[in-house]
Amino acid sequence: MPLMALAPQIKKLRDVVIIKNEIYEIKYSEVLESPLVVKYTVQCPNGTASRSGMDFYTIPDVHTTDDADYIHNTYDKGHMAPAADFNCTSEMLYKTFSYVNCAVQDQALNRLTWRLLEAKEREYAQTNTVDVEIKVDVNKKCLKLPTGAYVPKGFYKTIYIKETKQVFKYYMPNIKPVYSDPEKYRIK
C-alpha cells in the first residue's frame, strides 16, 4: 500500500456553509467556528415546550464550536435564533440547540440585554409577523480561543415587523453590557 494512502484525510475548513431548515437559515464559518448571518421568523411567541434536558449538538460534516470552547471562560453558548421563539414543540425547540445556531457570547450580554431584546421580538410577534436578521461581527482579527473558536466583537440585529413595515436595528458589543435596556443599543 502506498504511504499516501495511510495519511489521514485532512478536511479543509470552509469560509461559508449554508444551513437551512424550517426554523432558520444560517451562513456559518467553519474557519471562525461562528455563525456569520442568521435569519428567522419568530414562530412561537407564547410557546410552552420545555427545554429541560436539551443540550447543544453538532451537525455531521460541519466543523463548529463544541463544549470545550465554553469551559473555564466568561462565554455562553449564545443562541442566535432564540429557543424561546421556537418552543411550539420540542422538535422545533431542539433544532435551536445546534452549534451552528450559537455564537461565543459574553455571558452577561447573553443573560441580560440580549435576552431582553429577544423578549421584545416575541412581544412584537404577539400581533405581527416578525423577521429577524443577525449579522455576527467576527473575523480573523478577533480574539481566538485556545480551542480554535473566534470570539465575535459584537452582534448586529435587525427586527422587521411585516405588517407595520417598522425596522429596528441594534448593535451590541460582545462584552458585559453597560445598559440592560436594549434600546440603548439601537442604531439608525
Side-chain angles (χ1 to χ4, degrees), residues 16-84:
V16 177
V17 179
I18 306 293
I19 294 96
K20 188 173 184 176
N21 61 31
E22 63 277 4
I23 292 180
Y24 51 67
E25 179 178 330
I26 297 176
K27 289 182 182 176
Y28 192 89
S29 171
E30 292 179 321
V31 172
L32 302 173
E33 295 186 23
S34 178
L36 303 172
V37 179
V38 179
K39 296 179 184 180
Y40 59 91
T41 300
V42 178
Q43 295 184 22
C44 305
N46 299 312
T48 58
S50 172
R51 63 172 29 189
S52 178
M54 290 192 189
D55 202 1
F56 282 88
Y57 60 89
T58 58
I59 292 179
D61 301 320
V62 180
H63 178 78
T64 63
T65 57
D66 58 33
D67 284 344
D69 295 298
Y70 303 93
I71 296 174
H72 306 301
N73 60 38
T74 61
Y75 300 109
D76 274 354
K77 301 168 191 166
H79 278 91
M80 293 293 96

Side-chain angles (χ1 to χ4, degrees), residues 128-140:
N128 299 281
T129 303
V130 177
D131 294 324
V132 179
E133 180 179 78
I134 300 166
K135 292 182 180 175
V136 180
D137 189 6
V138 63
N139 58 51
K140 287 187 177 179

Side-chain angles (χ1 to χ4, degrees), residues 91-103:
E91 292 79 19
M92 286 177 76
L93 184 62
Y94 180 72
K95 288 181 179 175
T96 69
F97 279 86
S98 166
Y99 274 108
V100 298
N101 183 43
C102 81

